[in-house]
Amino acid sequence: SMREMVSLHAGRNARFMKQMAENSLRNSPALNWRGGIDAQSRDGQEVVDLKLRGTAIYVDAARLFALAHGIAATGTRARFEAAAPAMRVPVREAEAWSDGFEILQTMRLQVQLAAASREAVDASDGNANLIDVGALNDIDRRLLKESLRVARRLQQRIEMDYSR
């Protein structure tokens, strides 16, 4: 019943929605101003935090859109699918939101699986959300970059719609 109440009333509170929007804009996608991957050097590798500068952007956007439109769905994909028609977003754009999120989430899971197998051998305690950009093949690098571009466009939409 609490979730229903929040879903019903949150979108009507302009101040709350503005604060949610500001929160969703806190972390920027891992792209530099030229559109290249903005990796950070760590232990001799160029890495990107896929959670902080990737999937969290999608999750925050989906949560904001769901609250703004009174959508009770709880999963990121389900929220995007329900919010897109309410927002009159073209199908291709909404599909890009879901696909971008799922690509980054898959990459995170691959990194976490690799980290788990390394820990079984050497007990290293690295961040299981960091992906070594230098180790990516060309296709994975392009998928990463395009998923981050979609995240950037999501944030631009949020800025235009909620940061008044």
Side-chain angles (χ1 to χ4, degrees):
S1 63
M2 175 69 121
R3 182 182 299 153
E4 289 175 18
M5 185 194 71
V6 170
S7 293
L8 186 62
H9 297 290
R12 296 183 195 153
N13 186 329
R15 183 174 180 181
F16 177 73
M17 295 310 299
K18 182 173 175 46
Q19 289 173 331
M20 287 289 295
E22 289 171 355
N23 181 61
S24 70
L25 297 173
R26 243 183 343 174
N27 299 313
S28 62
L31 293 172
N32 60 30
W33 65 275
R34 295 182 310 179
I37 297 173
D38 184 26
Q40 298 183 342
S41 186
R42 181 173 174 180
D43 299 329
Q45 296 177 320
E46 294 296 309
V47 298
V48 168
D49 187 325
L50 290 173
K51 182 176 182 180
L52 184 66
R53 301 198 60 203
T55 59
I57 294 166
Y58 286 93
V59 171
D60 288 345
R63 185 179 298 123
L64 174 67
F65 295 161
L67 287 170
H69 297 283
I71 296 164
T74 56
T76 300
R77 175 180 269 286
R79 285 175 171 165
F80 281 145
E81 288 173 351
M87 297 169 62
R88 295 190 175 113
V89 171
V91 173
R92 287 178 47 176
E93 183 177 351
E95 287 174 350
W97 297 345
S98 295
D99 291 348
F101 171 72
E102 289 182 0
I103 287 167
L104 293 177
Q105 194 71 325
T106 299
M107 287 182 171
R108 275 186 65 207
L109 290 172
Q110 290 171 340
V111 168
Q112 290 170 0
L113 284 171
S117 65
R118 278 193 311 276
E119 286 175 6
V121 175
D122 66 9
S124 65
D125 61 340
N127 182 340
N129 292 308
L130 298 179
I131 191 165
D132 180 3
V133 177
L136 294 175
N137 65 43
D138 288 344
I139 292 173
D140 287 340
R141 181 182 288 272
R142 288 180 189 189
L143 286 171
L144 174 60
K145 191 183 292 188
E146 191 56 37
S147 296
L148 295 171
R149 284 183 184 143
V150 172
R152 177 182 278 169
R153 288 193 299 271
L154 257 175
Q155 285 191 327
Q156 289 168 343
R157 174 180 283 280
I158 290 168
E159 258 185 312
M160 287 179 16
D161 292 348
Y162 298 96
S163 296
R164 306 179 201 117

